[in-house]
Amino acid sequence: MHAPHPHSTGENPRAVLAELLDGLPPRQAAQAVERLIANYRGRTPTHTPVLRDRSDVLAYAAYRMPATFEAVRSALEAFRDGLPDWEPVSHVDIGGGTGAATWAVAAAWAEGRHRTTVLDWAEPALALGAELARGAGSEALRTAEWRRQAIGPGLVLPAGTDLVTVSYVLGELTEDARRSVTDEAARAARAVVVIEPGTPDGYLRIIEARDRLIAAGFRVVAPCPHSAACPIEPGTDWCHFSARVSRSSLHRQVKGGSLPYEDEKFSYVAAVRDLPVPAAPARVVRKPQIRKGQVLLELCTPEDGLTRETVTKRHGALYKIARDTDWGDTWPPEE
């Protein structure tokens, strides 16, 4: 998805993370990140988190939190664009860890007065998340509640929660736990936003969550311009988007890259119930191909599924707009 719109406000956790990282030797941080990447939590039973202590959590947060934040913020911007007059009063972040999605919600509704509860099974992650939030300017972040909670079949959320976020969590759970968490979010919440890595497997987890939300009476706000079945033939492709992330020195040290940025690929679904969802135009589901005198747009449409539209110079002003259109944007533009 595109970079944040100019109207986006709110805080980014990067500056607060950088202050905390000052006390962690770079070599130790890099080694911790490399170990955590090699043994990511998804391969570990959820009752024995890999994030064992503060240095583990701090290194991992510095490495992954900015990318997760940008992915969730991009998904929330698409959701907010689809329902511009709605904002949450209460928010629960399932498996929120150090709070990347919580920071993204605070950025998406920067003037809001929502109250957030972050649930996670890793006490060190919750402790660091609370510490980071205390250094934020946002009241919603500073007043968030950080609660240790097993994420699985026993999860019970407060009924009537406005917004539930589930970001980069489903891949860490068993199949039964994934379904239980999704169903509980659907039972309790008015709006649910689920984000997973933009991989074929991540997309399949999103599709399963999307199907369960629709079965529970939800309507999709984004990214799909409809709540019908996904038009992608299983196994042939997968729907995902991209968020631009500034790379820290730790990123460059661990990955050995020199670029000042990287692109975080993610898949997501944002859905609501008991709220009118305006009819959506198509969405650009691939990076636009700009060629001499024309722009090729791969679109997901409500009526025709996946289609391609070619916009040429003959289209005048629309051609100029197409050249500035990003992956994840709606199309055609509003008048």
Side-chain angles (χ1 to χ4, degrees), residues 95-314:
T98 55
T102 295
W103 282 75
V105 169
W109 291 280
E111 304 302 321
R113 295 290 182 265
H114 59 271
R115 294 298 302 268
T116 287
T117 301
V118 183
L119 306 177
D120 201 275
W121 52 82
E123 188 66 47
L126 291 167
L128 179 63
E131 185 177 350
L132 292 170
R134 285 195 295 270
S138 163
E139 181 181 352
L141 284 165
R142 293 197 309 272
T143 60
E145 179 184 356
W146 303 78
R147 185 187 305 166
R148 190 172 189 185
Q149 170 72 54
I151 309 300
L155 179 67
V156 178
L157 303 177
T161 299
D162 285 320
L163 172 65
V164 168
T165 52
V166 191
S167 71
Y168 291 77
V169 172
L170 296 184
E172 303 178 12
L173 304 176
T174 65
E175 186 174 340
D176 286 345
R178 284 200 301 269
R179 292 171 177 171
S180 294
V181 166
T182 302
D183 291 349
E184 178 59 14
R187 182 199 65 80
R190 198 172 191 187
V192 178
V193 180
V194 186
I195 306 97
E196 282 287 299
T199 62
D201 284 346
Y203 160 74
L204 290 176
R205 291 191 291 271
I206 289 296
I207 287 299
E208 182 184 43
R210 180 184 186 274
D211 289 345
R212 298 185 84 81
L213 290 171
I214 291 170
F218 282 69
R219 295 184 64 194
V220 177
V221 178
C224 323
H226 57 80
S227 296
C230 178
I232 295 175
E233 184 179 340
T236 63
D237 203 351
W238 70 99
C239 182
H240 64 290
F241 301 90
S242 181
R244 180 62 50 95
V245 185
S246 297
R247 299 178 78 186
S248 66
S249 58
L250 178 61
H251 273 83
R252 291 193 290 272
Q253 184 175 358
V254 172
K255 289 198 169 180
S258 58
L259 287 175
Y261 64 86
E262 64 181 3
D263 293 321
E264 173 73 7
K265 304 297 196 301
F266 64 98
S267 296
Y268 77 100
V269 63
V272 295
R273 66 174 174 188
D274 302 329
L275 284 171
V277 178
R283 189 174 296 276
V284 179
V285 292
R286 284 289 179 271
K287 185 176 181 179
Q289 300 298 307
I290 300 177
R291 299 178 181 173
K292 187 174 182 180
Q294 61 181 10
V295 182
L296 305 181
L297 300 176
E298 301 284 349
L299 303 173
C300 183
T301 69
E303 299 85 12
D304 303 316
L306 299 175
T307 65
R308 171 179 284 188
E309 183 170 333
T310 301
V311 185
T312 69
K313 285 186 175 180
R314 293 197 303 273

Side-chain angles (χ1 to χ4, degrees), residues 67-85:
T68 303
F69 168 79
E70 294 294 355
V72 179
R73 181 164 67 170
S74 292
L76 290 175
E77 281 193 349
F79 173 71
R80 189 187 59 192
D81 288 348
L83 288 176
D85 297 326

